[in-house]
Amino acid sequence: MDRMPPAAAPPERPPLLTVEDLRMQFPLPRTSLRIGPRPVLTAVDGVSFAIRRGEVFSLVGESGSGKSTTGRAILRLPPPTAGRVTFDGRDLSQVRPAEMRRLRRRMQMIFQDPLASLNRRMTVDEIVAEPMDIHGLAAGRNRAARVRGLLERVGLKPAWGNRYPHEFSGGQLQRVGIARALAVEPDFIVADEPVSALDVSVQAQVINLLARLRRELGLTLLLIAHDLAVVRHLSDRVAVMYLGRLVEIADCDTLFAAPRHPYTRALLSAVPLPDPAAEARRRPILLEGEIPSPLAPPSGCRFRTRCWKAQALCAESAPTLRPLGPGSAAACHFPEPVGTEAVSAPAPPQPAPPQPAPPQPAPP
Amino acid sequence: MTARSPILAEIRRSRITQAALLLTVLYCVVALAGPWLAPHDPTSMLAMPRRPPSERFWLGTDEIGRDLLSRLIHGARVAFTVAFLATAIGLLGGAVLGLIAAYFAGYIDSAIMRTMDILLAFPGLLLALAIIAILGPGLTNAMIAIGIGGIPEYARLMRGEVLSLLGRDHVLAARAMGASDLRVMWRHLIPFTVPTMLVYSTSQLARAVLTEAGLSYLGLGVEPPTASWGGMIATGQAHMLTTPMLAIAPGLAIMGLVFALNMLGDSLRDALDPHQRPVVGRQ
Ligand SMILES: Nc1ncnc2c1ncn2[C@@H]1O[C@H](COP(=O)(O)OP(=O)(O)O)[C@@H](O)[C@H]1O
Ligand SMILES: [Mg+2]
């Protein structure tokens, strides 16, 4: 489903990273003395995609949809419950622990909360040098020079290297986090909401930094975000996640121009538009209710409890991700037609729309 | 310690902390400089038994004519040595076990923590008695016994600290970098447990002083003729009606030190309590 390059694409190289049917379950502590199996929370349920070399692949969705869990499971932090992750041709579940530690040089991570992700008892120099120390990449003068170069590269003054994290602003800290991720010249970076903890004014700077680094270094990025505006600038392709499943994957432009899944459309309708005329026409689709509990997901299509198009079929069978056009695939029984303008609200509900089954109440 | 030490701030703020600190330092000086401070040899019989205080013997002499003050001063050395080394044994043993239990989880965790639970089921002095029954009496064994008795509490505390740290992003980041288990523990876990463990150790010092006194009182700690406060109370109490000083002086010495150490522990906790730090929220 991801093999849908534009017609004139160059001969395809194998993807750098493939994720097949990834599943992550968390056994929860028993809530009572009741006998029986422990409740299990399925945070990620059968997610598949592939990321090409040099590509920025984004994962978007509401908070709690399983994006972070997916990103971490790919890096085996912790390893997924089921499914296969192949990095540069190697099935990561088959890699021995010692070899996996070495492989981690090539896969790095950028975190949502930069302060929490940095060891506050280490100086910035020590933080940035640590991955190089771990992988024995540089020592002595060479090491110091590399740290200086990295700090400059992310727009920090090398002289700040002997300061501690609490002396920096959020944006600066995120730059430190980025420098740390770059220190080992990785092939692949998971950036988990790299700007969502930052002030809006700073967000753009960090996004621009990522865009520049991507250009200069040819980074392959899994960019996680709950804000589509962040994604638009940077991504080649976008996957939309809802309650542990992918509901749509498309080339970035295609997705923004012609969303096929109702959920994608709802998400897009919430993004303010730069063009005043278009912005005036924009009518946000307000989704009713909350995202259901992953402990008791709805039957069939997981989005049906909040979908204005839901029919009886949606409660019966779960739609699978299927190609709907060049560079676009969605998991919906009744996908939006291509011409649908992303910015307008749906037609008012029909007189008697078939009611979807009521959402299952979460267990007490 | 991080910059702008909260400990210094607490000392500046609180009179009680200052008093506790002063008293503790005083005891430390006495313990360290004991041999030079003591006016007489603590184990020689220099005069008639149970003399009242005089120019030569400031606190009088004990039941066999040794200088009471000199014995008190030497007793401080014993109390401190035992307290510090026993606390160190408990801290190191407990921290290592708690760290391993939390980090490796599963069966290792269960095995370690169930053993700790069994040890915890004994009251402190009883456990020390049991260990001394195995090792035999004496200063070193008393130290080891008190130290081992402290291990379970340290282990529990350390395990809890490490478990809460393991979920933090900076630990995840270290793992994502490919850090070895040892590096994760040494650089990203242990430094963050120091304040809590330090605070608890200070309060354990007082308990170790009391346990040592208890063991020596029972004749299972420091062996005579070496001076120890517990032992002095034990021999002094026979003369409670005629020469109450013999038991009261070492009793007061113990009380003062335990009081000072406890106050210091409380102040340290107020200053360093890691649970009062704000937790940065995330989605
Ligand atoms: N370690 C965990 N234990 C139990 N539940 C978890 C754990 N991590 C995540 N979850 C649950 O999995 C779901 C997805 O979480 P997450 O991947 O963080 O979502 P997102 O990053 O999209 O906001 C949430 O319901 C969350 O509560
Ligand atoms: Mg997240």
Side-chain angles (χ1 to χ4, degrees):
Chain A
M1 79 226 134
D2 47 86
R3 301 284 169 101
M4 277 177 298
E12 186 147 334
R13 286 203 286 160
L16 179 62
L17 183 94
T18 349
V19 177
E20 288 162 88
D21 212 13
L22 191 76
R23 178 190 304 264
M24 181 63 113
Q25 294 180 313
F26 297 109
L28 300 181
R30 264 179 238 279
T31 47
S32 65
L33 287 174
R34 263 176 313 165
I35 40 174
R38 283 168 72 176
V40 171
L41 186 153
T42 304
V44 178
D45 192 7
V47 163
S48 305
F49 56 84
I51 304 181
R52 304 183 194 110
R53 272 168 219 276
E55 181 177 46
V56 176
F57 185 89
S58 289
L59 202 51
V60 300
E62 275 166 290
S63 177
S65 53
K67 308 180 297 292
S68 299
T69 306
T70 303
R72 290 174 186 187
I74 288 171
L75 300 180
R76 304 187 70 71
L77 294 167
T81 314
R84 180 161 39 190
V85 176
T86 316
F87 177 75
D88 199 13
R90 305 177 67 176
D91 179 350
L92 292 185
S93 66
Q94 303 301 316
V95 174
R96 290 160 189 277
E99 174 66 11
M100 185 65 211
R101 283 219 312 277
R102 250 168 286 140
L103 254 182
R104 292 194 185 282
R105 186 193 72 72
R106 303 180 53 195
M107 328 154 95
Q108 293 289 305
M109 186 155 180
I110 298 170
F111 293 82
Q112 175 172 2
D113 179 344
L115 183 60
S117 78
L118 305 176
N119 186 329
R120 63 185 152 82
R121 287 167 188 266
M122 289 164 70
T123 64
V124 163
D125 277 343
E126 288 167 348
I127 289 170
V128 173
E130 185 169 26
M132 303 195 300
D133 295 345
I134 289 171
H135 297 284
L137 295 185
R141 234 196 246 173
N142 188 10
R143 175 175 176 271
R146 259 177 90 157
V147 170
R148 238 177 294 127
L150 283 161
L151 291 181
E152 269 168 5
R153 167 148 250 157
V154 299
L156 294 172
K157 292 210 174 79
W160 293 345
N162 53 15
R163 298 194 189 169
Y164 286 87
H166 66 85
E167 300 177 56
F168 292 90
S169 71
Q172 290 169 329
L173 288 174
Q174 196 54 291
R175 288 169 193 266
V176 175
I178 293 171
R180 170 176 70 179
L182 295 177
V184 288
E185 297 175 357
D187 301 320
F188 173 62
I189 297 180
V190 174
D192 188 357
E193 311 228 17
V195 300
S196 55
L198 307 179
D199 291 343
V200 179
S201 56
V202 183
Q203 289 193 354
Q205 295 169 16
V206 173
I207 292 170
N208 289 340
L209 171 66
L210 285 174
R212 197 190 84 218
L213 292 171
R214 186 246 167 138
R215 243 183 358 258
E216 291 173 1
L217 305 173
L219 294 178
T220 306
L221 211 59
L222 173 60
L223 177 67
I224 296 172
H226 66 261
D227 181 357
L228 276 168
V230 167
V231 160
R232 176 160 212 172
H233 266 78
L234 221 51
S235 318
D236 298 305
R237 280 189 308 147
V238 179
V240 181
M241 202 164 176
Y242 185 82
L243 210 54
R245 291 198 178 148
L246 289 191
V247 297
E248 182 158 4
I249 297 189
D251 294 340
C252 188
D253 295 337
T254 312
L255 185 103
F256 277 86
R260 305 302 300 272
H261 196 283
Y263 179 61
T264 313
R265 213 181 132 202
L267 280 185
L268 278 179
S269 77
V271 180
L273 299 170
D275 172 18
E279 174 66 15
R281 269 187 298 135
R282 181 172 74 93
R283 276 190 288 150
I285 302 169
L286 292 177
L287 290 180
E288 280 164 34
E290 298 267 303
I291 187 166
S293 161
L295 274 171
S299 66
C301 173
R302 295 194 165 184
F303 183 59
R304 69 177 167 82
T305 54
R306 297 165 82 193
C307 183
W308 59 93
K309 298 171 94 175
Q311 312 272 318
L313 174 63
C314 302
E316 282 159 19
S317 87
T320 51
L321 210 54
R322 62 195 163 104
L324 291 175
S328 166
C332 181
H333 292 306
F334 308 102
E336 303 282 302
V338 174
T340 316
E341 207 180 338
V343 296
S344 61
Q350 289 84 23
Q355 275 302 306
Q360 278 151 346
Chain B
M1 245 25 20
T2 44
R4 280 156 292 282
S5 166
I7 298 177
L8 289 182
E10 169 70 20
I11 293 172
R12 228 171 286 134
R13 192 183 64 81
S14 159
R15 275 285 146 84
I16 295 177
T17 305
Q18 291 165 10
L21 193 65
L22 193 72
L23 200 55
T24 310
V25 169
L26 212 70
Y27 270 99
C28 278
V29 169
V30 168
L32 286 173
W36 298 278
L37 278 180
H40 300 285
D41 176 35
T43 54
S44 322
M45 288 170 264
L46 302 166
M48 296 301 288
R50 295 190 275 128
R51 301 310 301 164
S54 65
E55 194 106 325
R56 186 157 172 237
F57 305 109
W58 290 2
L59 292 181
T61 59
D62 73 356
E63 69 286 343
I64 54 171
R66 296 170 298 196
D67 178 35
L68 187 59
L69 178 61
S70 301
R71 289 184 66 72
L72 271 186
I73 290 174
H74 275 82
R77 277 175 94 72
V78 170
F80 264 89
T81 313
V82 175
F84 272 110
L85 292 179
T87 303
I89 291 172
L91 172 63
L92 285 181
V96 169
L97 288 173
L99 176 64
I100 290 174
Y103 194 90
F104 293 105
Y107 293 113
I108 297 176
D109 185 21
S110 306
I112 291 178
M113 294 323 288
R114 290 304 78 75
T115 313
M116 295 298 112
D117 286 346
I118 293 169
L119 287 182
L120 270 178
F122 292 93
L125 190 61
L126 201 61
L127 184 63
L129 284 175
I131 295 169
I132 284 186
I134 299 168
L135 299 177
L139 182 66
T140 315
N141 291 347
M143 230 151 59
I144 294 173
I146 299 170
I148 292 178
I151 285 178
E153 275 297 342
Y154 284 103
R156 277 223 305 222
L157 197 62
M158 185 73 172
R159 178 174 176 272
E161 286 289 301
V162 173
L163 280 182
S164 77
L165 284 166
L166 282 175
R168 294 235 207 124
D169 275 358
H170 79 265
V171 178
L172 188 67
R175 289 200 168 138
M177 278 179 242
S180 63
D181 291 337
L182 267 180
R183 175 183 277 269
V184 171
M185 292 181 190
W186 187 247
R187 302 207 67 163
H188 301 284
L189 294 173
I190 291 173
F192 293 83
T193 64
V194 167
T196 304
M197 300 307 280
L198 198 74
V199 167
Y200 185 66
S201 299
T202 318
S203 66
Q204 282 310 91
L205 281 176
R207 227 156 91 176
V209 168
L210 276 177
T211 313
E212 184 274 324
L215 286 177
S216 295
Y217 177 85
L218 296 173
L220 297 171
V222 180
E223 308 214 53
T226 308
S228 84
W229 294 338
M232 290 165 72
I233 294 179
T235 48
Q237 69 181 359
H239 311 282
M240 202 58 201
L241 294 178
T242 51
T243 326
M245 183 68 94
L246 294 188
I248 288 176
L252 286 177
I254 294 171
M255 250 180 65
L257 180 56
V258 168
F259 175 76
L261 288 173
N262 273 334
M263 294 309 296
L264 209 60
D266 286 352
S267 305
L268 259 182
R269 191 192 51 223
D270 290 347
L272 291 181
D273 189 355
H275 303 295
Q276 285 173 6
R277 293 215 184 91
V279 179
V280 182
R282 69 188 164 83
Q283 306 187 326

